[in-house]
Amino acid sequence: MKILGTGGAGFIGSAVVREIINNTNDNVINIDKLTYAGNLESLTSVDNSDRYTFEKVDICDRAKLDRVFKEHQPDVVMHLAAESHVDRSITGPATFIETNIIGTYTLLESAREYWNTLDSEKKNTFRFHHISTDEVYGDLVHPDEAPDDIELPMFLETTSYAPSSPYSSSKAASDHLVRAWLRTYGLPTIVTNCSNNYGPYHFPEKLIPLVILNAIAGKELPIYGNGDQIRDWLYVEDHARALYKVLTKGKVGETYNIGGHNEKKNIEVVKEICKILDNLLPKATKYEDQITFVSDRPGHDRRYAIDSSKIQKELGWTPNETFESGLAKTVEWYLNNQTWCKNVKDGSYQGERLGL
Ligand code: NAD
């Protein structure tokens, strides 16, 4: 199978590419604009495979997309390219509208034109798998606010959309476009909505890598508000396996929620990282002493939690990592991959590779 993947140089995309090259016989054509978040150095373990191809392409560029579809004749599309950082979407929403909405629309149109040229068998087996987030559902009641006698709700595939940030609303818009292209044009689409991912190769602006790297550099560990926001964490390689399962076994038109049943307050996550570091890299003071509380993010969602029973029951996917095992692996990975962290922050590896 030939998989056209978008955003394969990003955090989750690179895990998907590594999963496909290492654990299947499929081919991947990775198209990525290589924004600040896209790093080819995350793919050095697989980029010499003859089943892997990279092209620097912006998903808003229709002409380039049409050429890629024509030249590579993919069997399926996995669409991960996006602007993904909520804080950046608050200070500069324009690129989120551009990539997440216009880019998804442009990719859908290019895919549809290509799909129309396929014979009926290939048309039937074609998939446009759109990778999205649980943030489209907005937030859930927090245990601190809920009466004691209610069972705390979780996001289901049928939960109404109520996004809070420019990021999540742009992703919600893209999910709607994808479903409309199935309903209106018959393009065989599938949508997945996943909870917060963590793991190796995560750009060091997101909570977990930022805290690990600041901690070992002796810097402050900034926490929004009082740190009681709850996220449901999933190890990125478990997400990559789930995505491949949905791509190959999922039903057209369905939505699958993916999550790890690991609801943690941000403050608990940061303290857990500090504890792991106290063991792995002891110093005179506790890492926890570096925690500082900063003003909360505007519109900050209080709680996310995914009910992933549908993908578990229907497709037989379960996560391999517990939060404890995944977090320990992640902290060790960052301690052992300081060069990757330096290179992705200053872009030096990218520059070398692209001859800049
Ligand atoms: P990321 O920011 O690490 O990577 C995004 C990738 O997309 C980068 O390689 C970037 O260069 C590329 N890209 C950006 N704009 C592009 C454009 N116009 N054309 C082509 N490529 C472009 O993001 P991520 O964390 O890997 O997330 C991947 C997908 O999964 C996103 O769609 C995101 O919404 C979704 N998601 C992320 C999480 C999470 O916790 N990180 C959770 C659920 C869903």
Side-chain angles (χ1 to χ4, degrees):
M1 181 163 71
K2 266 196 197 174
I3 301 169
L4 178 66
T6 73
F11 168 48
I12 301 173
S14 68
V16 169
V17 173
R18 291 190 301 273
E19 168 69 21
I20 292 165
I21 297 298
N22 290 330
N23 299 325
T24 77
N25 292 320
D26 297 329
N27 294 272
V28 193
I29 305 109
N30 171 19
I31 60 167
D32 197 296
K33 182 181 176 182
L34 298 181
T35 66
Y36 80 94
N39 298 289
L40 293 174
E41 195 170 359
S42 307
L43 293 162
T44 47
S45 64
V46 293
D47 66 5
N48 60 0
S49 163
D50 55 12
R51 291 184 289 117
Y52 172 77
T53 310
F54 172 72
E55 294 222 30
K56 188 171 188 284
V57 174
D58 182 339
I59 55 162
C60 299
D61 185 336
R62 176 68 194 270
K64 273 200 187 158
L65 287 177
D66 288 353
R67 202 255 311 137
V68 164
F69 274 106
K70 203 166 165 202
E71 205 170 297
H72 295 284
Q73 299 281 309
D75 299 299
V76 295
V77 172
M78 291 179 92
H79 176 34
L80 294 107
E83 286 293 336
S84 70
H85 189 41
V86 177
D87 289 345
R88 285 180 189 254
S89 83
I90 294 168
T91 51
T95 50
F96 288 72
I97 306 303
E98 188 65 26
T99 287
N100 299 357
I101 305 179
I102 308 290
T104 299
Y105 155 73
T106 311
L107 184 69
L108 280 165
E109 276 298 79
S110 186
R112 180 167 78 91
E113 189 176 299
Y114 163 73
W115 177 70
N116 276 326
T117 68
L118 299 176
D119 64 37
S120 62
E121 198 191 323
K122 285 209 152 207
K123 253 183 146 168
N124 280 336
T125 53
F126 185 83
R127 295 287 178 274
F128 186 104
H129 177 181
H130 178 63
I131 285 85
S132 193
T133 166
D134 62 351
E135 298 189 31
V136 297
Y137 300 123
D139 66 356
L140 291 164
V141 65
H142 192 280
D144 293 353
E145 295 156 352
D148 290 340
D149 56 344
I150 69 152
E151 199 182 319
L152 287 173
M154 295 178 140
F155 296 133
L156 292 164
E157 285 80 359
T158 48
T159 301
S160 302
Y161 277 30
S164 312
S165 71
Y167 163 65
S168 55
S169 54
S170 67
K171 289 296 292 186
S174 68
D175 295 8
H176 292 318
L177 290 173
V178 169
R179 292 194 180 98
W181 259 241
L182 167 65
R183 175 80 188 247
T184 306
Y185 304 110
L187 187 72
T189 63
I190 304 186
V191 177
T192 49
N193 297 86
C194 187
S195 59
N196 279 50
N197 282 216
Y198 69 100
Y201 301 101
H202 206 179
F203 193 83
E205 65 184 355
K206 304 271 173 93
L207 180 70
I208 289 181
L210 181 85
V211 164
I212 299 169
L213 294 175
N214 276 12
I216 59 181
K219 295 183 183 163
E220 292 183 344
L221 310 180
I223 296 187
Y224 279 132
N226 62 7
D228 74 351
Q229 308 84 1
I230 295 174
R231 300 292 178 262
D232 179 353
W233 294 93
L234 180 68
Y235 192 64
V236 67
E237 290 172 13
D238 282 326
H239 187 195
R241 285 189 308 103
L243 293 177
Y244 188 78
K245 197 118 211 185
V246 170
L247 178 77
T248 50
K249 305 262 185 284
K251 275 200 207 135
V252 169
E254 293 291 328
T255 297
Y256 297 91
N257 278 355
I258 308 171
H261 282 295
N262 289 310
E263 281 186 61
K264 303 274 176 203
K265 289 184 179 167
N266 285 349
I267 185 75
E268 291 172 339
V269 172
V270 174
K271 286 187 173 172
E272 191 58 41
I273 294 170
C274 290
K275 245 193 255 156
I276 298 172
L277 283 170
D278 284 336
N279 280 327
L280 289 179
L281 206 64
K283 59 183 176 80
T285 54
K286 294 270 178 216
Y287 286 94
E288 256 191 58
D289 299 345
Q290 292 165 232
I291 292 176
T292 53
F293 294 94
V294 299
S295 336
D296 208 354
R297 167 195 280 167
H300 208 169
D301 286 334
R302 298 263 289 143
R303 172 174 171 257
Y304 302 141
I306 279 266
D307 181 336
S308 60
S309 49
K310 176 172 171 181
I311 184 174
Q312 303 218 9
K313 273 192 215 125
E314 293 185 13
L315 305 184
W317 169 85
T318 46
N320 287 340
E321 300 293 342
T322 62
F323 185 66
E324 290 66 32
S325 66
L327 194 63
K329 278 188 179 179
T330 305
V331 174
E332 279 188 46
W333 188 89
Y334 278 92
L335 293 182
N336 295 329
N337 288 276
Q338 299 286 312
T339 314
W340 179 90
C341 299
K342 182 195 154 294
N343 288 350
V344 300
K345 280 200 271 183
D346 68 18
S348 51
Y349 178 85
Q350 214 83 299
E352 240 168 70
R353 293 282 288 194
L354 302 172
L356 300 174

